[in-house]
Amino acid sequence: GHNNRPVMIWDEMNDSLLSSSTTQIWTILAVINWQGAAVFPDYNGIVSRYEASDDVSLIATVGGTLLRATNGSVFINGVNTLEFSPMINYKIACKVITLSNSGRILIGNETAGFPTARAWNGNMAEVIIANVAWSAAQRQAAEAAANTYWSVY
C-alpha cells in the first residue's frame, strides 16, 4: 500500500481491467508508480482505449522514463512534463486529451490482446477517468485533492 492505504498491484503479466461499454475519454488522472526495469521496456499502459491506444491514452514511452503526450498534455505532480523518474516514487499523472474517440477503457495495459510486454508493472492507488476535458482549475483541484489523500508530493 501507500500512505497506509491499499493499492492495486500490477505485475506486468496479464493484469488488466476492461470496461464492457464504450465512452469517450477526455481526462485521465492516476496515482501510480513503476516497479519494473530502470526504463519502460515498451508502451506500458496505465489507461488506454482498447480499440486503439494511439489517440486516447496515458502510457509510457519505449526505452526511457517518459510518458507519451500524443494528443494531449501530461502533468506529473502538477507540472507539465513527461518525465516519470524516479520511477519507484508515487506520482500523480494527469492527461487532458485534445481529441477523443469512443471506445472501451483498458486499465493496466496499452492495447487489445493484452500483450505482456505492454502491461503496467507497478501500483495504482487511484484512477479517475472523465468524459470531459478538465480546465486547468479543475485539473489542479483534482491533483490537490489526490495529493492531500495520498501524500505524493
Side-chain angles (χ1 to χ4, degrees):
H2 178 68
N3 201 24
N4 296 315
R5 294 182 168 93
V7 300
M8 294 181 291
I9 299 171
W10 304 83
D11 61 7
E12 201 178 9
M13 296 304 289
N14 58 357
D15 303 327
S16 60
L17 296 172
L18 176 63
S19 69
S20 60
S21 60
T22 62
T23 190
Q24 285 191 306
I25 303 171
W26 286 97
T27 304
I28 302 165
L29 182 141
V31 180
I32 51 176
N33 75 348
W34 175 259
Q35 299 203 358
V39 298
F40 294 118
D42 209 324
Y43 296 110
N44 302 90
I46 303 158
V47 175
S48 64
R49 189 169 63 94
Y50 178 75
E51 288 74 13
S53 70
D54 289 343
D55 58 345
V56 181
S57 61
L58 183 58
I59 61 175
T61 301
V62 179
T65 60
L66 304 178
L67 297 183
R68 287 186 69 192
T70 304
N71 199 18
S73 298
V74 174
F75 298 85
I76 299 176
N77 294 342
V79 177
N80 189 356
T81 182
L82 302 176
E83 184 56 58
F84 198 75
S85 66
M87 310 262 274
I88 194 72
N89 293 357
Y90 276 88
K91 292 167 193 68
I92 299 170
C94 187
K95 182 173 182 182
V96 180
I97 295 158
T98 54
L99 175 66
S100 183
N101 293 306
S102 291
R104 292 180 290 169
I105 298 168
L106 179 61
I107 300 174
N109 208 308
E110 183 266 343
T111 193
F114 315 108
T116 300
R118 293 186 174 189
W120 190 252
N121 186 354
N123 299 323
M124 293 189 192
E126 181 174 349
V127 176
I128 298 172
I129 301 167
N131 63 357
V132 295
W134 288 349
S135 67
Q138 290 170 316
R139 176 188 53 78
Q140 291 165 352
E143 290 167 336
N147 189 49
T148 296
Y149 188 80
W150 293 104
S151 300
V152 172
Y153 60 93

